[in-house]
Amino acid sequence: MTVSSDDLQVSITTKDACVDFPIFDAKSRSLKKTVMGVVGGNIDSGARVPIIEALRGITLQLEHGARVGLVGHNGAGKSTLLRLLAGIYEPTRGTAAIRGRVAPVFDLGVGMDPEISGLDNIMIRGLFLGMTRKQMEQRVDDIADFTELGDFLDMPLRTYSTGMRVRLALGVVTSIDPEILLLDEGIGAVDAAFLEKSRRRLSELVERSGLLVFASHSDEFLRELCDTAIWMEHGQIKQHGAIDDVLRSYKGHAG
């Protein structure tokens, strides 16, 4: 895995990349099912140590300006692919090279501390996503206004409802300037009006990013943010092309 950021063009390149997870204690089928639910893929039960083949033969060349949607059923490998592209998972075989600063947005709650205030969490979450302290100080008033949380921003995060935490996290996420944005749909738990407001900010975030890979179950949202798509099936790329073509094939298969 190579991750670098310099004067060269932002890009993601993988060649025959595979991600395997050995299961060292697979005495029960329930354990296998649990792991499969997390990473998808196939189980190679013929090996001495059972292996979850989470991703197989992933070959991609994504350049600056790419807007790629990921589709597929739960467990198809979408989230695992995002983690490979973020550098969180190393390829077991094959190669993966990422050029550019990556902003992985998988879990809106990652990088937040329940014991400190919402304002302090804005700073911490921004630093976690690769922004500098000065950049976050310049954005904090705009983020606070967007969240509509008012005096709650001075209170510890543990006092927030789930919807309030999502508002805070979305405020930070949609304020950053990523070179590579890896986004997994997870913006529920807020009211419809705020969700629409968030979608507008997400669209603006995508416009500022150099490269987007977005996993979602919403055809409407995928078409809004992406022009191409990848259909994942059992840890493999089944189809990669224009978004309408891929969605048509995927929906036809599912039907």
Side-chain angles (χ1 to χ4, degrees):
M1 171 73 67
T2 302
V3 181
S4 62
S5 182
D6 50 31
D7 294 334
L8 296 176
Q9 196 92 324
V10 170
S11 65
I12 293 175
T13 305
T14 68
K15 185 174 182 180
D16 295 326
C18 301
V19 174
D20 298 333
F21 296 101
I23 306 177
F24 293 105
D25 182 13
K27 295 178 181 178
S28 72
R29 293 182 60 85
S30 60
L31 176 60
K32 294 182 187 179
K33 289 180 181 178
T34 299
V35 176
M36 286 288 286
V38 174
V39 301
N42 301 290
I43 296 179
D44 180 4
S45 56
R48 185 174 62 176
V49 175
I51 300 292
I52 299 292
E53 298 173 328
L55 293 177
R56 290 185 291 161
I58 302 297
T59 297
L60 287 172
Q61 180 66 51
L62 305 178
E63 305 289 349
H64 185 280
R67 300 288 184 263
V68 185
L70 295 182
V71 301
H73 61 77
N74 291 333
K78 301 187 301 296
S79 295
T80 308
L81 178 57
L82 285 175
R83 283 161 174 76
L84 172 71
L85 302 183
I88 295 171
Y89 292 158
E90 291 276 349
T92 312
R93 301 180 303 284
T95 60
I98 302 164
R99 195 173 298 280
R101 187 179 65 252
V102 179
V105 184
F106 307 134
D107 183 343
L108 293 175
V110 171
M112 290 187 157
D113 186 337
E115 298 304 321
I116 63 176
S117 72
L119 284 173
D120 288 338
N121 269 294
I122 287 175
M123 186 67 64
I124 286 178
R125 176 67 172 170
L127 296 175
F128 175 82
L129 290 171
M131 304 296 283
T132 66
R133 182 170 293 276
K134 183 177 180 180
Q135 287 172 323
M136 291 310 300
E137 288 171 349
Q138 294 171 343
R139 288 163 167 77
V140 67
D141 289 342
D142 173 67
I143 295 170
D145 181 63
F146 169 76
T147 66
E148 302 175 355
L149 291 174
D151 293 340
F152 275 100
L153 289 170
D154 294 316
M155 299 180 65
L157 191 70
R158 57 179 164 76
T159 65
Y160 287 26
S161 67
T162 300
M164 291 165 67
R165 292 187 184 211
V166 171
R167 284 177 177 239
L168 187 70
L170 278 171
V172 178
V173 164
T174 54
S175 76
I176 63 177
D177 295 321
E179 291 179 333
I180 297 175
L181 177 63
L182 305 177
L183 183 62
D184 202 350
E185 186 178 58
I187 54 175
V190 292
D191 61 84
F194 192 81
L195 181 58
E196 184 57 35
K197 181 179 176 181
S198 300
R199 287 178 65 148
R200 289 197 301 270
R201 294 247 312 194
L202 278 170
S203 295
E204 294 168 1
L205 170 66
V206 169
E207 290 177 8
R208 296 198 306 273
S209 65
L211 190 159
L212 168 74
V213 183
F214 174 41
S216 175
H217 291 288
S218 167
D219 291 2
E220 178 189 357
F221 211 1
L222 285 165
R223 287 190 173 99
E224 181 180 331
L225 299 183
C226 306
D227 49 28
T228 63
I230 294 170
W231 171 10
M232 295 295 296
E233 187 78 23
H234 302 301
Q236 296 177 291
I237 295 176
K238 190 172 181 68
Q239 185 177 347
H240 183 189
I243 188 161
D244 285 332
D245 292 342
V246 173
L247 286 175
R248 190 179 306 112
S249 298
Y250 174 56
K251 296 298 181 181
H253 171 81

